[in-house]
Amino acid sequence: MTDVTARGRLPGKPVAIVDIGSNSVRLVAYESRSRAPTPTFNEKALCGLGRGVATTGLLPEDAVAKALAALQRFRVLCDTMQIEDVSAIATAAVRDAANGPAFLKLAEQAVQCDIQLLSGQQEARYSALGVASSIHAADGLVGDLGGGSLELVEVKSGKAGQGLTLPIGGLSLVDLSERSPKKAAKIVRDTLSSVKLLQKLPGRSFYAVGGTWRALARLHMRQRQYPMNVMHNYVIPTKDALDFARLVERVEAEALLSIEAVSSARRPLLAYGAAVMEEIIRQASPKEVIISVLGVREGMLFSQLSPEVQAEDPLIASAREFNQLRSRAPKHAEELFAWTGALIESSHLEENDDDRRLRHAACLLSDISWRAHPDYRGTQAYDLVVNAAFIGVDHPSRAYLALAAAYRHLSNEDFVTPQSRSLVTARQLDRARILGAAMRVAYNISAAMPGVLPRAPMLCAKGQAVLTLPRDLSPLSSERLQSRMRQFTRLVGVEPAIRATG
């Protein structure tokens, strides 16, 4: 486990990636090159480099000027943030344009670093790695829709298969269809009809990557008043996704409900992104559509990690970083994980590998809101966890972790809204309450400091939950501790008992 620096930052040098896409040019800076990279700065410029490439074969002059200006600005920003490790990539528009090589020379001068021109295969592979490294047990097909192309590649067991690239990105479809969504739909249908990869998708998940599909998902979330703001790992059932795609194709963008959630620059491409989505669903019958915010850039970072770091669980890595940065004593969280593990093993509560993984994360997140006023620690813990930039966790599990973090501070139900309940199962809600109540006992005797919990186990036996305190800790047996014991035992159906030893 790493230590926190004096200024409350994790060690490791910051890294930045400049992504020159067909629609946007983007700079993303990350805290470090790690298993769960946290963005510290994110800026894009919608330059439209791919506009017209499908018909003219050239990058537009005005788009080139915008892109070069953005790259110069990104260099200044990297210098300001003192980021020395800057990588740059370019994708379909630059790859396909006749004046792409000339642009690359100017672009490298502007951003002052080498630019890697990705092949379609490389782009597909990085997109798939971005998904596989950030979505737990990803299994299905990744589709990365950019301005110039669509990349498709299979993912299974955390591995990316062979991918392919197709010239049906949003901007390409605008040009090839002469701005007709109906013609674009036919182009997409004809292009995808011979794609054998789609035959592997029925009954599995389709992972949608790319700005246009994220915009569609944001619109979908707003229209349904979805109770979470996090986009990554947002799941849309297949039938709902198909109906929504057809609606977006049919209706003028400005007439769509909640269209203000989508930037005006993105709106003209919505119908074309919807046409691609509809045809993939129609031809391949996935069981669901899952939105991935992570793609090419994060896949590239992941590919640069050692095999040992790649094998780490990204959720635990993210939670551990939160623990390091925000907890009073980070070592205590690992002791809490062991302490609750022994308690659950001694009880009638069943725990599978996924339950254990989430309990580990919950313990790591159990003390992240201690600086807040005591009256608000629970609600702040919930908000921090439910909105955190975690990866490797789906929305129901994220909501479970947020509830457990809140129950660690609160015994009442006032903070549990119908919206937050709607994301979790009855079992998850019950487990969050039980784990939170157990942690309230643990923190009462440990004061969030390491070295106490290994000496004071709480185990279930013969209808009791017995907390054993060594003689030097026996004065901790207060009315407050007994009250917290009763709160816990009511949830698991046993009687509380506190025993001193030695």
Side-chain angles (χ1 to χ4, degrees), residues 149-354:
S149 63
L150 169 70
E151 278 69 45
L152 294 173
V153 59
E154 185 182 17
V155 290
K156 189 173 184 178
S157 303
K159 306 293 183 182
Q162 286 292 109
L164 77 160
T165 185
L166 303 166
I168 50 173
L171 291 175
S172 295
L173 287 173
V174 170
D175 295 336
L176 294 171
S177 69
E178 299 175 327
R179 298 184 178 275
S180 168
K182 286 186 178 181
K183 289 183 181 179
K186 185 179 186 308
I187 293 170
V188 173
R189 187 177 309 118
D190 293 342
T191 303
L192 293 178
S193 62
S194 60
V195 175
K196 292 183 179 180
L197 264 180
L198 294 179
Q199 299 172 8
K200 298 183 177 183
L201 189 52
R204 301 166 72 194
S205 299
F206 179 70
Y207 301 95
V209 181
T212 299
W213 279 342
R214 286 197 302 273
L216 283 170
R218 187 174 298 109
L219 188 60
H220 186 271
M221 292 174 82
R222 290 289 181 87
Q223 288 191 1
R224 280 144 183 79
Q225 297 183 324
Y226 187 70
M228 190 179 288
N229 294 320
V230 173
M231 178 68 63
H232 188 61
N233 233 323
Y234 178 58
V235 178
I236 310 176
T238 299
K239 186 179 184 306
D240 195 9
L242 183 60
D243 291 343
F244 186 68
R246 287 170 174 167
L247 171 67
V248 173
E249 287 181 77
R250 187 179 73 250
V251 178
E252 287 288 334
E254 298 303 323
L256 290 168
L257 183 66
S258 303
I259 191 60
E260 66 278 0
V262 179
S263 69
S264 57
R266 285 281 185 199
R267 294 174 194 176
L269 295 181
L270 289 177
Y272 301 91
V276 180
M277 179 67 72
E278 178 189 351
E279 198 58 34
I280 287 173
I281 294 172
R282 198 182 67 79
Q283 291 195 28
S285 302
K287 70 174 181 179
E288 61 195 0
V289 174
I290 301 179
I291 305 300
S292 176
V293 172
L294 280 69
V296 171
R297 294 180 296 273
E298 292 76 20
M300 180 178 173
L301 285 179
F302 180 78
S303 72
Q304 297 167 351
L305 301 175
S306 68
E308 293 76 18
V309 176
Q310 288 182 349
E312 293 177 3
D313 185 324
L315 171 61
I316 301 304
S318 295
R320 187 166 282 143
E321 288 183 358
F322 257 69
N323 178 45
Q324 290 280 357
L325 293 168
R326 289 180 171 269
S327 298
R328 282 168 283 192
K331 184 179 178 181
H332 177 269
E334 297 291 355
E335 293 183 353
L336 180 62
F337 175 53
W339 188 86
T340 55
L343 172 61
I344 288 176
E345 187 176 354
S346 70
S347 73
H348 65 277
L349 299 172
E350 296 180 356
E351 186 177 65
N352 58 33
D353 289 342
D354 285 339

Side-chain angles (χ1 to χ4, degrees), residues 1-18:
M1 185 183 299
T2 55
D3 294 323
V4 183
T5 64
R7 291 185 177 273
R9 289 180 59 84
L10 293 167
K13 295 182 179 180
V15 58
I17 294 183
V18 175

Side-chain angles (χ1 to χ4, degrees), residues 427-456:
R427 181 179 185 273
Q428 286 175 316
L429 180 60
D430 183 53
R431 296 299 284 251
R433 295 174 70 202
I434 291 171
L435 181 57
M439 292 193 292
R440 284 168 63 77
V441 174
Y443 273 92
N444 194 250
I445 61 175
S446 67
M449 293 295 109
V452 175
L453 294 181
R455 303 174 56 221

